[in-house]
């Protein structure tokens, strides 16, 4: 099993939102349980709340990456270097690989009325698998840091039959004799 672990799945803003909104009931329950004298039943509830909140923390701090297992390509989520879950990517009909650069923005929550539409603007590098003529593309991963692009391309092209090319779609129909091919 070969793997490459790249970058965090969520931004810092998303992590805070996730841990506060979903974790608030667990944190409140933990706080109130510590204020009282604990009975054996309370210890059980306390331990369950702590386990649930630790699980939320592990989800918030997942990293994304790729995994090769039995010549299959998977996109994986890793926590502390260990595989948390994976999803298989079918590359049988997509022998090419390309990287597209986009400029994106994400709205931020919890800001004052002075700037209600405050957004974080950033660049992403979208890893795509393509068909032979580049007319069909499928995004498999978005990277925010440019330094992860080259290791990702090297991992995918050296471990799989993917050839890195500049994205250049060819929509013209091929004609051979009287036959027209798409």
């Amino acid at each position: 099993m070969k793997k490459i672990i790249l970058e965090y799945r969520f931004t810092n803003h998303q992590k805070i939102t996730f841990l506060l909104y979903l974790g608030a009931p667990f944190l409140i329950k933990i706080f109130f349980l510590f204020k009282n004298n604990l009975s054996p039943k309370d210890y059980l509830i306390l331990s369950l709340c702590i386990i649930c909140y630790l699980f939320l923390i592990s989800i918030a701090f997942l990293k994304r990456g790729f995994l090769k297992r039995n010549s299959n390509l998977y996109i994986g989520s890793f926590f502390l270097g260990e595989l948390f879950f994976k999803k298989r990517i079918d590359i049988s009909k997509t022998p090419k690989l390309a990287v597209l650069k986009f400029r994106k923005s994400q709205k931020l929550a919890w800001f004052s009325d002075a700037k209600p539409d405050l957004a974080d603007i950033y660049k992403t590098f979208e890893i795509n698998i393509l068909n032979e003529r580049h007319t069909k593309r499928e995004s498999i991963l978005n990277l925010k840091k440019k330094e992860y692009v080259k290791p990702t391309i090297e991992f995918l092209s050296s471990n799989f039959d993917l050839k890195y090319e500049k994205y250049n779609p060819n929509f013209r129909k091929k004609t051979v004799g009287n036959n027209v091919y798409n």
Side-chain angles (χ1 to χ4, degrees):
M1 173 175 80
K2 294 182 181 179
K3 64 183 175 181
I4 182 171
I5 301 172
L6 300 165
E7 62 186 16
Y8 284 107
R9 184 175 199 83
F10 302 110
T11 64
N12 288 336
H13 186 76
Q14 289 171 328
K15 290 175 195 173
I16 292 168
T17 305
F18 182 75
L19 291 174
L20 284 180
Y21 286 154
L22 293 179
F26 300 112
L27 291 174
I28 292 169
K29 188 66 176 174
I30 291 168
F31 176 74
F32 282 121
L33 284 173
F34 274 126
K35 283 181 71 173
N36 302 328
N37 291 333
L38 297 175
S39 67
K41 180 182 173 186
D42 291 338
Y43 279 114
L44 178 65
I45 294 171
L46 177 66
S47 61
L48 287 175
C49 288
I50 290 172
I51 289 170
C52 289
Y53 195 69
L54 289 175
F55 180 71
L56 289 177
I57 290 172
S58 66
I59 290 175
F61 288 94
L62 287 176
K63 285 190 169 187
R64 297 180 295 183
F66 290 107
L67 174 74
K68 178 184 180 181
R69 183 176 280 170
N70 300 331
S71 73
N72 291 321
L73 174 64
Y74 295 91
I75 186 164
S77 293
F78 300 89
F79 181 67
L80 299 175
E82 296 298 320
L83 184 65
F84 208 69
F85 58 88
K86 65 183 181 198
K87 178 184 171 189
R88 187 172 183 272
I89 299 172
D90 183 22
I91 56 173
S92 61
K93 297 176 185 168
T94 52
K96 308 292 182 183
L97 177 68
V99 177
L100 300 177
K101 183 178 174 182
F102 292 101
R103 184 174 172 216
K104 295 183 178 182
S105 67
Q106 178 182 5
K107 298 270 184 181
L108 300 175
W110 310 322
F111 285 95
S112 68
D113 293 334
K115 291 186 177 184
D117 287 338
L118 187 62
D120 181 27
I121 298 172
Y122 58 94
K123 293 178 184 174
T124 63
F125 302 90
E126 188 177 84
I127 310 295
N128 292 280
I129 49 177
L130 313 164
N131 65 350
E132 278 292 332
R133 293 181 17 204
H134 299 199
T135 55
K136 294 181 182 176
R137 71 178 172 94
E138 180 183 347
S139 173
I140 55 175
L141 186 65
N142 287 323
L143 298 171
K144 290 186 179 178
K145 295 183 179 177
K146 188 175 184 176
E147 63 258 17
Y148 293 127
V149 173
K150 188 175 180 181
T152 302
I153 292 169
E154 289 173 0
F155 177 81
L156 292 173
S157 60
S158 65
N159 290 305
F160 302 98
D161 291 331
L162 294 172
K163 183 179 176 189
Y164 176 68
E165 293 183 355
K166 183 178 177 184
Y167 182 64
N168 187 14
N170 180 6
F171 293 105
R172 295 184 186 149
K173 293 183 178 180
K174 295 180 185 177
T175 58
V176 177
N178 293 333
N179 298 330
V180 177
Y181 298 99
N182 286 333

